Amino acid sequence: RQEYDAEHLVAFVRLLYAGRAVLHRGVSEVAPGIVLHPVPGHTPGLQVVRVWTEQGWMVVASDGVNMYEQIERTIPFRVVTSVPDMLKGYGTMLALADRPEYVLAGHDPVVMDRFPAAKPGLERVVMRCDVPL
């Protein structure tokens, strides 16, 4: 209960019933160049997003990997449903990205150091991740 607000869950169910939200299971292309991939381990149903950019495939890891150190040193996150599945998910994300640097950790402020601002004035707010490293 600590992580979720009941009203948010109710609102999501309402969106489902209204046809304004869709659940995806397994690998699912939601648009050209945007593909969802399951990575169990942290929480049931967790997915990452593989995105095609001018630099190649990148993976938006979300909670699949929170901090770069976790994937670089193969350290599981402290909140986990299955350590073996989480570590397998790290391998999946690395295989989906064209370069290890193209796995974007979900909560690591280092993302803002690795990539430039989308435009002047957005430093450390919105990053442009499709540029050469």
Side-chain angles (χ1 to χ4, degrees), residues 55 58 99-102 114-116 128-133:
Q55 304 309 312
M58 298 188 120
R99 295 174 53 180
E101 301 84 21
Y102 289 169
R114 291 188 177 183
F115 297 95
R128 178 131 187 225
C129 299
D130 65 335
V131 296
L133 294 177

Side-chain angles (χ1 to χ4, degrees), residues 52-106:
W52 178 254
T53 73
E54 291 181 14
Q55 304 309 312
W57 288 106
M58 298 188 120
V59 174
V60 180
S62 178
D63 283 342
V65 62
N66 292 286
M67 307 296 276
Y68 283 113
E69 180 183 41
Q70 293 168 317
I71 200 166
E72 293 166 352
R73 296 182 52 211
T74 319
I75 301 170
F77 185 60
R78 61 179 165 55
V79 178
V80 60
T81 59
S82 168
V83 170
D85 285 344
M86 178 175 274
L87 299 180
K88 183 179 175 185
Y90 291 175
T92 298
M93 288 182 274
L94 290 168
L96 290 171
D98 280 345
R99 295 174 53 180
E101 301 84 21
Y102 289 169
V103 175
L104 306 176

Side-chain angles (χ1 to χ4, degrees), residues 24 28-36 49-52 57:
H24 295 270
S28 181
E29 184 173 37
V30 295
I34 302 175
V35 185
L36 304 175
V49 183
R50 188 179 194 213
V51 180
W52 178 254
W57 288 106

